[in-house]
Amino acid sequence: MRRFSLSIALLAVLAGCGPSDQISVEEAWIRLPAVAGRPGAAYFAIEAAGRDDALTAVSTPVAKRAELHESMAGAGGMMTMNALETVPLKAGQPASFAPGGRHVMLFEMTPGLQAGNETRLKLVFASGRELDVPARIVGAGEGAPE
């Protein structure tokens, strides 16, 4: 009887952590800066399933500091960039971090990083969840890895 009770309790706990609460991050990559010492950028696709959340921070071992940013057309068609405190994620609606839009600015990147290598991105969410995902490194001027 005790084994049955423990099984029921375990199933109840696992049911609360089902796929409806998942956040998926795909196609993460980092573009190296064109000029050494300048910031690089990280990009990825993200989606919250089941419930809303918000991305609050990103870090990587290859940069001392990372900031959420968004590029947009300003007055006269000039591109501008704004820092973002958070990026709201609506359940079931994918969000893209891509060149020319939302991205993660990476400051004081590790010297000597090589295109073709891989590193990690740690994403932190308002819900308290943290995800650690692989990110491919590409050279300045290169497109997203395939």
Side-chain angles (χ1 to χ4, degrees):
M1 181 67 163
R2 182 171 183 180
R3 182 177 287 171
F4 178 76
S5 297
L6 286 174
S7 296
I8 295 296
L10 180 59
L11 285 174
V13 168
L14 291 176
C17 300
S20 65
D21 291 340
Q22 300 241 342
I23 297 174
S24 63
V25 178
E26 298 179 356
E27 303 167 8
W29 58 288
I30 293 173
R31 180 179 287 146
L32 295 172
V35 177
R38 301 293 299 162
Y43 308 102
F44 46 87
I46 186 169
E47 184 173 351
R51 65 177 177 170
D52 296 349
D53 208 333
L55 179 64
T56 59
V58 176
S59 63
T60 178
V62 299
K64 288 188 180 178
R65 184 170 52 97
E67 295 179 3
L68 301 171
H69 281 224
E70 183 170 30
S71 297
M72 63 195 81
M78 293 293 293
M79 292 299 287
T80 63
M81 187 169 29
N82 293 323
L84 303 170
E85 291 294 319
T86 64
V87 175
L89 301 171
K90 292 288 186 190
Q93 295 180 9
S96 177
F97 282 68
R102 285 182 290 224
H103 57 280
V104 180
M105 292 292 296
L106 302 174
F107 297 93
E108 299 180 61
M109 295 186 71
T110 303
L113 292 172
Q114 297 292 314
N117 290 342
E118 190 173 276
T119 189
R120 309 294 294 177
L121 293 175
K122 178 180 173 184
L123 288 75
V124 179
F125 300 89
S127 63
R129 182 177 305 227
E130 295 182 358
L131 291 177
D132 184 61
V133 298
R136 192 85 173 151
I137 298 173
V138 303
E142 292 180 30
E146 295 181 18

